[in-house]
Amino acid sequence: VSVTTVNTLYPRLPTISDVARVAGVSTMTVSRTLNNHPSVRAQTRDDVMRAVDILGYRRNENARSLRPGHQTGLIGVGITNIANPYYAEFVLGVEDIASQHGRRVILATTAGDLGREEQVVSDFLGRQVEGLILVPSGDTASHVRPGRLRGVPLVFASRTVDGVATDSVVVDDEGGAYSGARHLLEAGHTAIGYLGAPDTSFTGARRLRGFLRALSDVGIVPESHLIRRGLRTVEEAKTATLDLLSTSRPTALFCSNNRNVVGALKALTARSRTGGYDDSALEIVSFDDFELSDLIPYRATIINHEARRLGQASAQMLFQRILSPDSGQPARTVSMPTWLEPRGTSLGVAP
Amino acid sequence: VSVTTVNTLYPRLPTISDVARVAGVSTMTVSRTLNNHPSVRAQTRDDVMRAVDILGYRRNENARSLRPGHQTGLIGVGITNIANPYYAEFVLGVEDIASQHGRRVILATTAGDLGREEQVVSDFLGRQVEGLILVPSGDTASHVRPGRLRGVPLVFASRTVDGVATDSVVVDDEGGAYSGARHLLEAGHTAIGYLGAPDTSFTGARRLRGFLRALSDVGIVPESHLIRRGLRTVEEAKTATLDLLSTSRPTALFCSNNRNVVGALKALTARSRTGGYDDSALEIVSFDDFELSDLIPYRATIINHEARRLGQASAQMLFQRILSPDSGQPARTVSMPTWLEPRGTSLGVAP
DNA sequence: CTGTTAGCGCGTTCAG
DNA sequence: CTGAACGCGCTAACAG
């Protein structure tokens, strides 16, 4: 009785020796068959495969990876928030390359919290991942110092961390923001509202720097009430935009990311519904593309870059380390280019 | 020399016995310390923890889960496409519940391909996942018959599969589509274009059924050229919409999902740019919400439901099975409710 | 309070 | 061509 009960509670999966027993051979013969070892008689092989089929046997990858030299085939990916379509695309890029190398992605979200990130890294290492790709949460990261990782390669994506010398793939934030701002200036705008992420955010700081440099290059000192930073969510961006428009009359808006432009557009929509505000001349520049950016009802330009490519590039850097761990190359930082794309009504009438 | 070289190539992680040696105790003492066993002297505990710190030791979870009774703490999640924000949100919902139960999500995409799904399931089982959540690719799924899973609980999300009796969480597709179509009919529309997924898609078939039932209830037989099915991507939906509008003059469009409505909107934008088509009276109903649906420049209504809740509900069902595997309850199917939400210019002017 | 023994599932090494 | 023994890292059970 007790055996049956235990089996129901913990349904023990069939092991290699169960297969061996059913097939009437030794475990080694099963192992060789499963690994396509040439020296197995065809008849024996058939017996084994039949037993495998009967039992529904599957090799235990965890036990397998316990053996020296064997790897787990796992790549740990830690992102801040999968609900942001940008990181969803990013993960897809990583998965793309990982599956090409026969690896599986294990995913965790850190919610931008340093403590959770530390747990996640620790968990990943405990699961013997072959490599880590991380969108770091903050600019301190002692848990991720190369020494603590014991040789497991790490790639930072989207941001880097001061004092941690490791491979990273980032977007050309400053250059992109510079050219986006430049675009507005050349169109004659001088009163440009800025909606930005917190300065503590790596990309936020870099994009702001590019924006300000473009203004300073043409001798414009931005008025402080036009510069809104510290915006983390769509909702915050919406509120900030409403507040900005209630006190100022910018002729253009520069949105430092995906979330901010969505919030800004929601604010503009809400505001135009209340009437009394003619924003038809407003022009928008935004970092990051998003779905339906075609439909922006303003002159608009996107500073575009592809999350999926960022993911692919990160994974490719990681696999360079994984596949030749002895190369001893110094840490590299790759900057992914951006480009401007007209959107919204700035497209004008197509032919 | 050779030892050093080998260590560089295969950086062997410190094991429990390395820690034991450095701390001058046995491996059991280390193990007990790490598991907060009460019967370890404070002094010994400190010695162990110091050794752990020096070596940067982390417990090997794979070796640990090898022991009988121990679990891997892994939940396998297989979705068709993470680039669809809907499934990204879905995964977040699963991860939310999973992390509450101290489990980690291992992710794979099947791209809607049955062969890949089979590999994914096999891989997950080989990694000893404690449970599986799958957005199934097709309506055949022999690889996923309960017998093949050897007692590992499985939950289907978003769709079910004929002939596989397992827990599932689906959206009330037919009821939602019915009420959405009803909404259009009550507004006086009779020529309604339908943009739908392939009939082989579970949700596609159900939504079409609800739509057609609403029409038939008021005695309308839809003209066949108004019904477009088999649309898998935004691009296909866009093309189909352009084709539809070039031959017909529907007063309303019913989009059966997220991808289709985006495609339809892109088509309408492109078409209005070419001029000569007044669609200002057009009304849209769409299944699935999407970002910036606020900005739809038409009267619009969303048949809404929350992907994150779907993910949470799926994970909750899964954990019921994981936590009491002996319950022997029959498979249940939970239907998540939908609701109508006005969007776009149908909002009118806010107070 | 601490150490020894044994075994989880698998595959390499060495004998048949 | 096939099998027996051993060890990967960890911990329950049983000494001491």
Side-chain angles (χ1 to χ4, degrees), chain B residues 9-206:
Chain B
L9 282 171
Y10 301 103
R12 209 179 59 81
L13 298 171
T15 74
I16 196 171
S17 46
D18 295 326
V19 176
R21 195 177 316 115
V22 170
V25 297
S26 78
T27 60
M28 262 323 291
T29 301
V30 178
S31 174
R32 278 193 265 260
T33 304
L34 263 43
N35 291 310
N36 293 316
H37 209 280
S39 63
V40 179
R41 214 181 359 149
Q43 175 60 46
T44 316
R45 166 183 303 280
D46 288 351
D47 292 347
V48 170
M49 291 316 280
R50 190 166 311 113
V52 164
D53 214 52
I54 290 169
L55 294 171
Y57 167 81
R58 291 178 216 264
R59 187 162 54 194
N60 183 332
E61 288 300 328
N62 295 334
R64 191 172 194 225
S65 67
L66 205 58
R67 301 207 45 83
H70 261 283
Q71 305 288 348
T72 56
L74 284 178
I75 303 296
V77 177
I79 60 179
T80 52
N81 178 8
I82 203 186
N84 184 335
Y86 185 80
Y87 290 116
E89 274 276 351
F90 172 83
V91 172
L92 192 71
V94 173
E95 213 260 348
D96 181 19
I97 303 298
S99 65
Q100 282 177 28
H101 289 271
R103 264 71 167 195
R104 190 70 68 200
V105 163
I106 181 170
L107 180 72
T109 58
T110 60
D113 177 62
L114 214 57
R116 274 195 66 167
E117 180 175 305
E118 194 164 341
Q119 284 174 10
V120 162
V121 167
S122 182
D123 181 80
F124 282 166
L125 290 173
R127 293 182 188 282
Q128 316 298 107
V129 295
E130 294 182 50
L132 284 167
I133 296 181
L134 226 54
V135 178
S137 297
D139 32 25
T140 61
S142 62
H143 55 290
V144 109
R145 283 190 315 243
R148 309 295 297 173
L149 297 177
R150 311 231 40 110
V152 176
L154 164 70
V155 171
F156 281 144
S158 188
R159 316 175 192 170
T160 63
V161 174
D162 285 348
V164 180
T166 190
D167 290 336
S168 14
V169 183
V170 298
V171 170
D172 178 17
D173 295 301
E174 186 169 344
Y178 182 87
S179 59
R182 194 83 204 188
H183 170 83
L184 289 176
L185 294 167
E186 282 163 7
H189 297 281
T190 52
I192 305 174
Y194 184 91
L195 300 168
D199 291 349
T200 54
S201 136
F202 179 79
T203 57
R206 284 157 52 101

Side-chain angles (χ1 to χ4, degrees), chain A residues 259-329:
Chain A
R259 307 292 78 195
N260 287 339
V261 69
V262 171
L265 288 170
K266 291 197 173 202
L268 288 166
T269 305
R271 204 176 156 79
S272 75
R273 285 209 185 95
T274 67
Y277 176 53
D278 177 24
D279 57 13
S280 56
L282 194 71
E283 180 157 6
I284 292 178
V285 161
S286 171
F287 224 110
D288 302 341
D289 201 3
F290 56 93
E291 200 157 72
L292 288 183
S293 58
D294 291 332
L295 302 187
I296 300 173
Y298 303 93
R299 287 183 64 85
T301 302
I302 302 291
I303 304 163
N304 207 358
H305 55 114
E306 287 188 24
R308 189 182 298 216
R309 282 188 198 282
L310 188 72
Q312 289 170 332
S314 308
Q316 275 155 353
M317 278 185 96
L318 186 68
F319 278 106
Q320 281 187 18
R321 297 284 178 186
I322 290 175
L323 299 177
S324 56
D326 54 339
S327 70
Q329 285 192 5

Side-chain angles (χ1 to χ4, degrees), chain B residues 269-327:
Chain B
T269 305
R271 206 175 154 78
S272 75
R273 285 211 184 94
T274 66
Y277 175 53
D278 178 24
D279 56 12
S280 55
L282 194 71
E283 181 158 5
I284 293 179
V285 161
S286 171
F287 224 110
D288 302 341
D289 200 3
F290 57 93
E291 201 157 70
L292 288 184
S293 58
D294 291 332
L295 302 187
I296 301 174
Y298 303 93
R299 287 184 65 85
T301 302
I302 302 289
I303 304 163
N304 206 358
H305 55 113
E306 287 188 24
R308 189 182 298 215
R309 282 188 197 282
L310 189 73
Q312 288 170 330
S314 308
Q316 274 155 352
M317 280 185 95
L318 186 68
F319 278 106
Q320 282 186 18
R321 297 284 178 184
I322 290 176
L323 300 177
S324 55
D326 54 340
S327 70

Side-chain angles (χ1 to χ4, degrees), chain A residues 16 28-38 40 45 59 64 70:
Chain A
I16 197 171
M28 261 326 292
T29 303
V30 177
S31 175
R32 279 194 263 260
T33 304
L34 263 42
N35 292 309
N36 293 317
H37 208 280
V40 179
R45 164 182 304 278
R59 186 163 53 194
R64 191 171 195 227
H70 262 283

Side-chain angles (χ1 to χ4, degrees), chain A residues 26 28-29 32 40-41 44 66-67:
Chain A
S26 78
M28 261 326 292
T29 303
R32 279 194 263 260
V40 179
R41 216 181 356 151
T44 315
L66 206 56
R67 300 212 42 86

